[in-house]
Amino acid sequence: MITFTPLSGAARSPRTVPLAYLLQVDDVRILLDCGSPDWCPEAKEEDWGEERMEKEKQAGVYGWEEYCRVLRENAPSIDLVLLSHGDLAHSGLYAYAYSHWGLTAPAYTTLPVQAMARVAATEDVEGVREQEAVDEDPPSSSSSSSSPPPQKMEEEGEESLAQGEEDADHKEVKMADRDKTKSPTPDPVADTQKEKRKYVATVQEVHEAFDSITVLRYSQPCHLQGKCQGLTIIPFNAGHTLGGTIWKIRSPSAGTILYAVDMNHMRERHLDGTVLMRQGSNASVFETLQRPDLLITDAERANVTTARRKDRDAALLDCVSATLSSRNSVLMPCDASSRVLELLVLLDQHWKYSRLRYPICLLSKTGHEMLTFVRSMMEWLGGTVSKEDVGAEGQDGGGGNKSGKGNKRKRDDDQEDEALGAFALRFPFLEIFPTPAALTHRYASQDPKLILAIPASLSHGASRAIFADFAQTENSVVLLTGRGEEGTLGRILFEKWNNSQREEYKWDRGKIGNNVMLDGVMHLKMNSKVPLQGAELEAHLAKERAVKEKEAAKKAADERRQRILEADEAETEDDDSDTDSDDDENEVERELDNEMDVDSEQQLPEDKRKDKKRGGGGGKAAWSSALEDDGVAKGMLSYDIYLKGNVSKATSFFKSADGQTHRFRMFPYVEKKRRVDEYGELLDVEMWLRKGKALEVEGESEETKEMKKVQADEELKNQPQEPPSKFITTIAEVQLACRLLFVDVEGLNDGRAVKTIVPQVNPRKMIIVHAPAGATDHLMDSCSGIRAMTKDIYAPAQGECIQIGQHTNSFSISLSDELLASIKMSRFEDNEVGHVTGRIASIATSTIPILEPISASAAHESRSKRAVRGRMLGARPTMSLPQSTLIGELKLTALKTRLATVGVQAELIGEGVLICGAAARRGGMPDSLEDSVAVKKTARGKVDLEGPVSDVYYVVRREVYNLHALVAA
């Protein structure tokens, strides 16, 4: 039985991203994709007035609470994770779920998806964490003024501390600038944010999560083990992104499941089209992916007609060239890893062809890392970027060059020239900048340039900061290449552009629209980090000093306790020998004498104690200092333990006949319980490691110690130390004066491709996901009009659970070698089928039963037992004849083709009848019917052959058998 539940990205949903679906095949729970939403949604522009707080409280800014809650509840019980694409919509939340929610099930994807998803997630978490305080507890914001937004950057109420990296002891330290608030009432948004968090992982968590993923090659079957035993997963090329995957899941009980979302059948500049649709004049579906038992696919663009790629590329390049020629700049928001490659290859080819000298600037912290990964994965690329393109430039530089070093191959800063494809993806006109400040330092704002800024949604990071200044520049162009996620600034700008177009030039009508001039005022919420100053800095430094002192005191106490335990360990070992008992007692007395000296020192006045510290030895003074740091010196004045011997004495309330009762104090003893196992006492490995390190340090020479100290000091100096800072939120008033244009470069199938591919795949059942309501209904109506298409089409909503099929019990059995040798196997599609008759036996060394062949004697005994009843004289015993089974579905068109290859003419006469032989010839004589055969499909699984016994009859029967898998009994 198959159970399917959309966690996010369901059908008939206004929010089609992120994508995450829970598929259960019998008892195996599979998570298909684990995308993340945009963590910085955009508040509506009109909500920045007096009613902003109330509207955000009622409607809620965030839309991911339910998705994250359900994923958090189901993460520990998931048995398998499959990731299809390397962007945030498909893989962005996997790192956080892996680190915090227990999503530690085996995960599989292709190598490029693993690398690109790591790059995209790293870029996203760094961008969010550099502008907001993302902690385990949601940040609170103080109340803000209800007056209209200011003219320029004005601080709002929300401010929080950030101490460089995330300090565990400082995570809950928050500050609020109450001097600029006009109302002491609490912020209503703060109450709602207590239940609404941003689940953003750290960079270390991102690397750990994606390092745990198992990578596969295209068409590589992977037979799973453990709880998933019996399942086989196979990845296929989906297009759209580098390494994008269509997952084929084969189950012995549920059949074949095909998960295909976000495909592109068109060949692009850096990618080939999906294997699901073959390229060429007679385009057809890949045979391996035909007729699955269940197809899970998307219909986001089922009602969209996309313009030709040639027209879209021409419109984009013409806009860029015209803008740069007029001494203006172009801002092109893009993603961090997947679709940015297509833009870079397109722009690089245009720059070379047109011989442009304007800079192409990529604002990305992971740009160098992304290009390094791509250059090492040339075998995954396609389109115009192929291995053949690598040698052209290299040959030009190697031979026929009279200038010697004129065409010598240039070297990148990361020195990745040896990687295959270094020439094809060198991008000589590209410059990568980590921050907008670095870009401003390199080029002035009035210099013409093309800026590729991340992220594409304009919700945070470099693209949002650049847009706030860029949009106010007249005649500059903001060029959108995607629609963006619902609720982000990118989607708001797209809707502005689309609403200003005429009806026939809308984005989904197959034509390229015109650029529009933006006007009016837009208020943007800007998050940033600023250094602490004045009283805030002094308060933070004082707090930091107090925490460091507390940590130092705690560390000293821990070291003291450890020394006590190790001394007790050595003392206990010495006590095993009777000859050393006297020495041990003397040592205890000496220790107690030392303690008495310390205690007596504690009772001295403060001025005398200070003098003793200045002049006394280092041992006792240091020990007293450690006791003071631990805060237990006062508690060591008395212990209810009495000893005999020459030790210190203290006054007691009870007196003896000759004076006072002697009260003997003892050094505090910590009883160590020895842990043992079947081999004896457990060893303290950490103690031995510490002793080993101490011995290594003692064995080093003075020069080595000095060298290590110098190196440590240099490393400490070279580390960039971030000053204490805080996060602030400001409202920017942007006077729009730029131009806006949208060109679709997302690389996805449009409605014509979807309605062509799905009927040719011809699944037995289909589930539609990742689509708005209009597109879902459009695809379902299109499939309902096709006679051969299945009627079992489902479109579940978010959280809706649908069940397909019935629950079946499957058992594992092992075949003996003798039985395998006797089986006659017949191949059918991707499987080999054979008839087996045997007896189940159990083996003591295995929990899986084994199937053994029935011996001849056992078969004879069974037949003799069945023939106990009497029979008539001269009558033969009744025996059941073995029957063979034909597996497959006969197609008369395929039979006609095979008969033509063996010289038998055949013609279809309609209603499922194929005439073969002489009768199929034109103008055949009536007497020629003797060499004719009719093949009829009377019902599902039944084929009739009618005709006289002749050579044609046996030829036709043989070809019918060849089109099936014959399982002999």
Side-chain angles (χ1 to χ4, degrees), residues 917-928:
R921 303 170 187 168
R922 292 184 179 180
M925 300 302 293
D927 56 355
S928 62

Side-chain angles (χ1 to χ4, degrees), residues 168 192 423 478 497 614 721 779 885:
T192 62
F423 284 118
V478 177
W497 175 87
R614 294 191 190 99
Q721 295 183 356
L779 181 59
T885 304

Side-chain angles (χ1 to χ4, degrees), residues 307-325:
R308 296 186 305 171
R309 197 189 76 171
K310 179 180 178 181
D311 297 338
R312 289 183 278 122
D313 292 347
L316 186 144
L317 296 177
D318 291 345
C319 176
V320 170
S321 300
T323 306
L324 295 177
S325 301

Side-chain angles (χ1 to χ4, degrees), residues 907-919:
E907 289 293 337
L908 289 168
I909 63 173
E911 298 182 358
V913 179
L914 180 68
I915 298 296
C916 311

Side-chain angles (χ1 to χ4, degrees), residues 111-147:
L111 178 61
V113 170
Q114 181 199 33
M116 296 296 102
R118 187 204 310 269
V119 170
T122 302
E123 183 80 31
D124 184 61
V125 301
E126 286 184 350
V128 174
R129 287 183 173 273
E130 283 188 355
Q131 295 185 357
E132 297 184 28
V134 181
D135 299 326
E136 291 300 323
D137 296 326
S140 60
S141 56
S142 62
S143 60
S144 63
S145 173
S146 59
S147 60

Side-chain angles (χ1 to χ4, degrees), residues 496-503 505-506 513-516:
K496 283 179 176 291
W497 175 87
N498 196 42
N499 294 334
S500 63
Q501 302 294 316
R502 292 185 297 177
E503 192 65 27
Y505 285 98
K506 299 284 187 181
N514 302 316
N515 59 36
V516 298

Side-chain angles (χ1 to χ4, degrees), residues 291 764 889 937-943:
R291 197 66 175 159
R764 292 180 173 85
E889 183 179 359
K937 294 181 66 174
T938 57
R940 183 177 180 86
K942 294 185 178 180
V943 179

